[in-house]
Amino acid sequence: MWKVMADVTGTQTIIRTIHLLRLMASQSAAGARLTDLARATRLPAPTVRRMLRCLLQEGMASQDPTTRRYHLGPLVAELGLLTSHHQRRAALCQPMLDRLARETGDTVYLAIRSGFDAVSIARATTDGPVRITTTQVGDRLPLGVGPGGVVLLAALEHAEAEAAIATVEPALATFGGFGAAELRSEVAFARQRRFAISRERITPGLSGIGVAVPQIAGHPPMALTLGSISARIEGDRCEWLAALLHAAARDIAALLEGGDARAVPAVDCTQV
């Protein structure tokens, strides 16, 4: 139990909020009930409910719609990526992204799933004629918008993917005017072919291809994607790019798990 003072403003409110987050973290598996949180903090249930509502709005907490229990939210994991520990891990992957960008002449991204969004955490561009800069590191897109979001959806169990699609559906119309039915088709394609293609969802004339990074214990789900002008995401080149991305995704997983990553194989792009 924590000592609770009468003052409910300023630093005391911050301390109480941190206590709530610690309680949710300590019960991360089963989740925390409102009554348990109120009892542990010795705060009135309405006060705790208001604090939780704010945390939910900001992504610092989440609530299971069935059990009504509270868990840490996706923003907590996202902020954790900004610590020096996770920045070093992202930096480990950068040489692989740079190699892919040089070999393909396109822009390469590494993204993670954060709640119902895909968040770009690293990017590599090329000095060649194709240089895509529409998506920056730190940008968030709803799951399903772009190839990374599609493969992240495809990696979910069917019921979980359907819940995510229902959540992001209102935002889909602003990205190329597509809806849930078309997104389901893209997810089905990704599950069958093990890669996703997204055509001009974010920027006219630009398309992308992406694969899922093998799941890594202790890490959020990740996707490796490549963006280019639409004419370069066509035909046999898609198959070649998918194979190259899969090889690099396996290397990223091995590297982040502490194994030795193989060098991404050098490929003469003029032969593709």
Side-chain angles (χ1 to χ4, degrees):
M1 300 292 182
W2 291 287
K3 180 181 179 182
V4 178
M5 301 172 63
D7 179 33
V8 295
T9 61
T11 57
Q12 187 61 37
T13 300
I14 295 173
I15 291 172
R16 287 173 171 174
T17 303
I18 293 172
H19 289 169
L20 279 180
L21 292 171
R22 285 175 173 165
L23 278 170
M24 285 186 283
S26 69
Q27 302 181 47
S28 58
R33 298 183 303 175
L34 173 64
T35 53
D36 295 333
L37 294 172
R39 185 181 305 110
T41 57
R42 296 181 181 176
L43 288 171
T47 299
V48 175
R49 184 179 291 109
R50 287 194 298 270
M51 296 171 69
L52 288 168
R53 187 180 300 122
C54 181
L55 291 173
L56 288 169
Q57 291 173 348
E58 297 301 323
M60 294 292 286
S62 63
Q63 187 179 31
D64 187 301
T66 302
T67 67
R68 311 302 296 171
R69 291 173 180 257
Y70 294 90
H71 303 261
L72 291 180
L75 184 57
V76 175
E78 185 178 336
L79 292 175
L81 292 170
L82 300 178
T83 64
S84 59
H85 174 72
H86 287 292
Q87 286 177 335
R88 288 194 298 271
R89 287 182 177 270
L92 284 174
C93 301
Q94 192 64 48
M96 295 185 187
L97 305 188
D98 293 338
R99 174 71 65 83
L100 280 171
R102 289 195 302 269
E103 290 177 352
T104 62
D106 300 306
T107 301
V108 180
Y109 299 92
L110 188 63
I112 64 165
R113 178 162 63 86
S114 174
F116 297 107
D117 292 331
V119 183
S120 175
I121 62 170
R123 184 186 72 173
T125 58
T126 174
D127 293 330
V130 182
R131 186 180 178 89
I132 309 300
T133 59
T134 52
T135 301
Q136 307 292 327
V137 172
D139 284 356
R140 306 174 66 99
L141 289 171
L143 288 179
V145 177
V150 173
V151 294
L152 289 170
L153 273 177
L156 298 174
E157 295 293 334
H158 179 77
E160 192 175 2
E162 282 297 312
I165 290 172
T167 299
V168 302
E169 183 176 9
L172 297 181
T174 61
F175 295 94
F178 76 124
E182 191 169 359
L183 177 54
R184 289 188 181 96
S185 295
E186 293 184 2
V187 170
F189 176 91
R191 285 174 173 157
Q192 180 182 17
R193 301 297 303 279
R194 297 181 57 244
F195 67 87
I197 297 176
S198 181
R199 302 199 181 280
E200 305 188 5
R201 291 290 182 223
I202 302 171
T203 304
L206 302 181
S207 297
I209 182 170
V211 304
V213 175
Q215 185 61 54
I216 310 162
H219 289 260
M222 306 173 74
L224 183 63
T225 67
L226 179 147
S228 188
I229 57 176
S230 297
R232 291 171 62 81
I233 312 293
E234 295 285 355
D236 292 342
R237 193 170 194 269
C238 286
E239 300 293 335
W240 172 71
L241 289 173
L244 197 63
L245 288 169
H246 273 302
R250 291 192 296 269
D251 292 340
I252 286 172
L255 182 62
L256 294 181
E257 286 176 332
D260 294 327
R262 304 181 310 276
V264 177
V267 177
D268 184 356
C269 295
T270 63
Q271 301 302 313
V272 178

